[in-house]
Amino acid sequence: LLSSARIETPINPQDSLLQVTSVWSQNDLATYKEAKFVKSAIIDKASLVGKISSSPVAIDAVQLSTHQKYLRAVVKPGKEESEQIIQIWERDFLKTSYNLKDIDAHGKIYCDQEFGGLEISEDLSKLVYVAERKPNKSLPFLHQGEVPEKATQGNQYDYKQDWGEQLVDKVDPVVAVLDLTTDQPAKIQIFDNVPSDVSPGKVRFWKNGIVGVAYKNTPRKLGKVYCSNRDTVLFYLDLSEEGNYTEIRKGADVGDEIGITRLTANGENGRLAWFERRLFKNDQVKIYPGPHEGEVYIMVLDDLGGEPYTIDTSASSVPTWGGIFVPSLSARCWLDDDRFFISCPMQQTRVPVLVNCKDRKIQVLHEGNENVRILDLHDDIVLGVKSDPITPPHLVIARASEGFTFRPVFEPNSVEKFVWSPITLKHEDSGQEEGTNFEFKAYHIGSNGTDRPLIVWPHGGPHSILTEEFSRTALYFCMAGFNILFVNYRGSLGFSDEFTRVLMGRVGDMDVKDCVLATQKCLELFPNLSKDKVFLMGGSHGGFLVTHLAGQYPDMFKGVVARNPVINIASMSEVTDIPDWTFNEAGAQYAFSNPQPALYQEMWAKSPIAHCQNIKAPILLMIGKNDLRVPPSQGYQFYHTLKAGGKEVYMHEYADNHPLGKPEHDANVMISAAVFFNQQIGKK
């Protein structure tokens, strides 16, 4: 799949050709590793038509990278697991390398999507990033040697809380700046003035200093991955020796708590923009801290010391527009001093959006640009990637001065043997709670062949979205003989804030009924599907739903595959890294405390465990032993309960975390699921 692309700066601006470098990734099933490779495309500058596409060239593992003018900084693993190397490339040669283990100024650099940041200053003299703080040496009480001045004794077993699922090595982040003007000895400045009750991340240079976000870490750290509902401040550090710390934006500014996700700036002296959402801690109606993902607003700051202002993100001329959810930003996204691009889902279709800071409005560029994600901007040229469920990702390009209709760089090839269709759904008004009966969506992909088995696949979250984009996994199951129905039930992202929030307190009922209606409608619309061969597959909250469906509608489905499913919200509340999720989805406020007995009962009643005695379909559980989000105890409890009830249940265990994303595990999960489904088809 295409992960990034960049329009290279020509040596001669008058050249008639453009060079685009793109980075792709694919699981290598022979080595069980992710293979990354780079391709180059030569494009005619006048017509924007691709002329030459190079063969792929394998590249080494890169953990993080950034460009500035003719320099590129790369963070790579060293020879040993504990080592990291920073390489500085100047045009076509390696200028210098820094072995961070030798320098010994801090721990590992954060390369994740939540805290990680890497940027070269515009004068090319500094590199800023976030790393784990170097701990003081800890010695046992019975140590018989000299105790160094900064060493401590007897505290080597102290509990140090990390940031949860997929961030287990992230405990105490610090902001670091590497001096690029010297390498012998290397100089790294650690900024120690960030208060201890916040954890900094997402740093970049701005206004003669450093700007970034910092997440509150008291009274405890709540898991950060997939969660934008974390109390956040926007901070500034000056570049003095003291590194003075100032908070630019915090919850108190709006009388509440705020969650901030991504930052972008038009260079070091231009506007700063970020995505923000209110968490409604002091609201008596809305649930705190709210859905783990939700609608965000665009905030802009023209200058340090100025007042932030909000961009109007409404678009009344686009009926299906519901606001900004989980937006993506390219490294270069500013079209000019006033405008920048984002991409985000509009219902279940991803679209590019142009943000105008001067007019404080947005323009949704949806017509003809369905499922386009912006990758890069250079001068007047905008580069993106586009796909659909049967067309793999391919580069698309547009010229801003000629409108924003993207065209393929090279003509894509679709998988012609399969078709796909979006489905719009709504329940009959009778029996629906007032103000909750929103229209929702799904889409079907597969073959027009007869007697096709169907896999019903709701997403996890539950506040997530399955967009109409290409999926290797979906193509695999279609090639294996199955059709798929992806369901974006009420509570999904991309529709509206009300649509997202309506599910909280109604899980196990509203989302279940939506999946049933989607299944029934799909079978009605596509008579080539077999009503006797309907299967369920889902992970996390999707696993919650498929196990619920198996218990509440036992005669409707023939087999179930559940990956790291939520089985018992009550028992999960005390062991997950996001206990707030268990409170909120059960309809309760979170107050950093354990549930009361009545709430435990409510959580249990909304869980699949309450219906397990009704299950008839065979179930295959796939459990990650290192999962901190939905701990493996959830799967174990379900497995043993079903076994005790005489049900047909199987379970796989993987030394993996929540996504079961290691290449060897991902392959085993998908192949095992197809084998399991086929075994059920073979039964009389």
Side-chain angles (χ1 to χ4, degrees):
L1 295 178
L2 180 56
S3 54
S4 64
R6 180 180 174 86
I7 304 168
E8 301 297 345
T9 304
I11 296 175
N12 180 4
Q14 305 305 315
D15 281 351
S16 62
L17 298 174
L18 294 171
Q19 180 183 348
V20 170
T21 302
S22 54
V23 178
W24 304 70
S25 64
Q26 183 176 340
N27 285 346
D28 184 340
L29 299 183
T31 62
Y32 288 140
K33 292 181 179 179
E34 183 184 57
K36 287 195 172 184
F37 52 94
V38 64
K39 296 176 67 176
S40 290
I42 303 299
I43 302 169
D44 182 81
K45 200 171 184 178
S47 65
L48 299 184
V49 173
K51 296 296 184 182
I52 300 172
S53 179
S54 73
S55 298
V57 177
I59 57 175
D60 294 334
V62 172
Q63 296 174 330
L64 209 57
S65 69
T66 187
H67 290 80
Q68 185 68 263
K69 299 175 183 175
Y70 52 82
L71 284 191
R72 183 182 184 222
V74 174
V75 179
K76 301 179 68 174
K79 291 182 180 179
E80 301 174 7
E81 187 179 346
S82 60
E83 286 184 344
Q84 277 180 316
I85 307 294
I86 292 178
Q87 294 179 336
I88 305 298
W89 292 82
E90 184 173 334
R91 294 191 174 93
D92 298 327
F93 68 93
L94 179 61
K95 182 180 180 182
T96 189
S97 290
Y98 299 89
N99 188 319
L100 297 178
K101 187 175 182 181
D102 286 351
I103 302 170
D104 197 28
H106 52 67
K108 278 194 170 184
I109 292 177
Y110 285 26
C111 301
D112 59 274
Q113 296 295 312
E114 307 302 329
F115 291 89
L118 186 72
E119 188 173 78
I120 303 170
S121 60
E122 289 182 353
D123 65 5
L124 308 182
S125 68
K126 296 178 284 292
L127 179 73
V128 65
Y129 54 88
V130 174
E132 184 68 16
R133 184 185 301 276
K134 180 183 176 181
N136 291 328
K137 189 172 184 179
S138 181
L139 300 171
F141 285 124
L142 302 180
H143 177 72
Q144 293 181 310
E146 291 289 332
V147 178
E149 182 180 347
K150 290 187 177 181
T152 59
Q153 282 187 281
N155 64 347
Q156 65 268 42
Y157 304 111
D158 286 1
Y159 173 61
K160 297 178 179 65
Q161 190 192 3
D162 56 40
W163 278 95
E165 171 67 25
Q166 299 171 53
L167 298 172
V168 293
D169 54 347
K170 312 296 192 297
V171 176
D172 191 6
V174 293
V175 178
V177 170
L178 171 64
D179 185 345
L180 298 181
T181 64
T182 180
D183 58 6
Q184 203 70 20
K187 296 179 181 178
I188 295 178
Q189 180 182 359
I190 302 298
F191 289 78
D192 287 318
N193 281 345
V194 178
S196 60
D197 65 343
V198 295
S199 297
K202 297 292 183 188
V203 290
R204 61 182 306 125
F205 291 109
W206 189 63
K207 300 294 182 181
N208 300 311
I210 297 166
V211 67
V213 303
Y215 307 113
K216 291 282 187 177
N217 54 39
T218 56
R220 64 164 291 177
K221 296 170 184 171
L222 295 171
K224 184 67 187 70
V225 168
Y226 315 131
C227 298
S228 62
N229 58 345
R230 300 292 176 247
D231 191 12
T232 317
V233 298
L234 182 68
F235 70 86
Y236 176 84
L237 293 165
D238 65 37
L239 291 175
S240 67
E241 199 169 307
E242 293 78 20
N244 296 305
Y245 170 92
T246 306
E247 291 182 351
I248 300 174
R249 178 79 167 171
K250 55 186 180 296
D253 297 336
V254 295
D256 207 331
E257 290 182 0
I258 56 174
I260 300 174
T261 54
R262 305 290 301 277
L263 303 177
T264 181
N266 185 24
E268 292 180 18
N269 294 301
R271 288 183 166 100
L272 176 72
W274 64 92
F275 301 112
E276 176 179 305
R277 55 180 292 202
R278 287 189 63 177
L279 305 185
F280 299 102
K281 187 172 186 178
N282 302 318
D283 194 292
Q284 300 302 312
V285 178
K286 293 189 176 180
I287 294 174
Y288 170 82
H292 58 91
E293 292 287 2
E295 183 182 12
V296 296
Y297 300 96
I298 302 172
M299 303 297 299
V300 180
L301 185 60
D302 291 341
D303 208 343
L304 189 64
E307 283 295 321
Y309 55 88
T310 307
I311 301 296
D312 179 4
T313 55
S314 62
S316 57
S317 62
V318 185
T320 53
W321 177 254
I324 295 175
F325 297 82
V326 286
S328 62
L329 278 169
S330 58
R332 295 191 296 189
C333 62
W334 288 82
L335 186 61
D336 51 39
D337 290 343
D338 300 321
R339 298 178 296 169
F340 66 94
F341 273 104
I342 66 172
S343 310
C344 65
M346 181 174 71
Q347 298 192 359
Q348 61 185 23
T349 304
R350 190 176 301 278
V351 294
V353 177
L354 185 61
V355 180
N356 191 317
C357 301
K358 183 179 179 180
D359 295 341
R360 303 190 183 186
K361 294 180 179 180
I362 63 168
Q363 182 182 359
V364 182
L365 305 172
H366 61 295
E367 292 184 358
N369 299 324
E370 293 82 2
N371 293 310
V372 168
R373 178 168 56 91
I374 305 299
L375 296 177
D376 192 32
L377 275 77
H378 182 67
D379 293 336
D380 194 38
I381 307 298
V382 188
L383 187 68
V385 59
K386 183 172 183 172
S387 72
D388 64 45
I390 60 172
T391 307
H394 53 280
L395 288 171
V396 292
I397 197 165
R399 197 186 309 276
S401 58
E402 298 175 356
F404 299 101
T405 300
F406 288 82
R407 68 192 79 170
V409 173
F410 300 100
E411 283 302 317
N413 294 315
S414 297
V415 185
E416 294 182 356
K417 65 168 70 176
F418 301 124
V419 295
W420 73 278
S421 301
I423 304 171
T424 300
L425 302 133
K426 189 174 183 180
H427 293 271
E428 297 294 333
D429 285 332
S430 59
Q432 293 295 310
E433 189 178 341
E434 185 178 353
T436 67
N437 195 16
F438 295 104
E439 191 175 86
F440 64 100
K441 292 201 169 184
Y443 64 96
H444 167 258
I445 173 175
S447 166
N448 285 328
T450 58
D451 200 37
R452 294 280 290 190
L454 176 68
I455 300 173
V456 178
W457 199 319
H459 61 70
H463 309 294
S464 180
I465 186 71
L466 289 164
T467 50
E468 298 160 346
E469 295 172 280
F470 186 79
S471 163
R472 290 177 296 191
T473 300
L475 181 63
Y476 159 74
F477 280 104
C478 290
M479 296 289 287
F482 299 87
N483 285 23
I484 300 176
L485 175 66
F486 290 117
V487 185
N488 288 311
Y489 45 86
R490 284 171 290 175
S492 301
L493 303 177
F495 291 78
S496 70
D497 182 60
E498 294 79 10
F499 185 96
T500 300
R501 291 178 178 273
V502 73
L503 182 59
M504 292 189 295
R506 299 179 177 91
V507 293
D509 178 45
M510 175 180 285
D511 42 5
V512 170
K513 289 174 180 173
D514 287 359
C515 290
V516 171
L517 179 62
T519 303
Q520 293 169 337
K521 188 67 174 178
C522 185
L523 293 171
E524 175 189 324
L525 290 173
F526 304 100
N528 63 308
L529 298 174
S530 172
K531 296 180 180 180
D532 299 322
K533 301 175 186 175
V534 181
F535 296 95
L536 293 165
M537 186 160 182
S540 193
H541 190 84
F544 172 91
L545 283 174
V546 298
T547 49
H548 249 305
L549 286 159
Q552 293 192 44
Y553 297 85
D555 297 316
M556 195 171 182
F557 305 101
K558 195 171 182 66
V560 182
V561 172
R563 296 175 295 114
N564 287 323
V566 176
I567 296 300
N568 184 340
I569 301 175
S571 62
M572 180 174 147
S573 66
E574 296 178 354
V575 291
T576 178
D577 68 329
I578 52 166
D580 56 306
W581 182 95
T582 65
F583 279 69
N584 285 185
E585 298 307 331
Q589 303 278 0
Y590 179 64
F592 292 92
S593 60
N594 291 328
Q596 295 299 308
L599 182 55
Y600 274 123
Q601 186 173 353
E602 184 71 16
M603 289 175 170
W604 186 90
K606 295 180 184 297
S607 301
I609 196 74
H611 304 279
C612 63
Q613 71 279 4
N614 301 324
I615 290 175
K616 295 180 181 179
I619 290 182
L620 173 57
L621 299 169
M622 297 175 167
I623 304 302
K625 293 195 289 185
N626 303 325
D627 189 350
L628 300 179
R629 183 60 41 94
V630 182
S633 55
Q634 291 284 292
Y636 300 153
Q637 179 186 14
F638 199 51
Y639 175 82
H640 292 300
T641 301
L642 292 176
K643 274 287 188 183
K647 311 294 183 181
E648 186 177 353
V649 59
Y650 310 91
M651 185 164 62
H652 291 182
E653 284 184 300
Y654 303 91
D656 209 337
N657 52 24
H658 192 56
L660 301 180
K662 292 180 180 178
E664 65 267 38
H665 299 158
D666 178 67
N668 183 274
V669 165
M670 300 311 164
I671 295 171
S672 295
V675 170
F676 176 75
F677 290 151
N678 277 314
Q679 287 172 342
Q680 309 318 311
I681 292 173
K683 292 179 180 178
K684 292 184 179 180

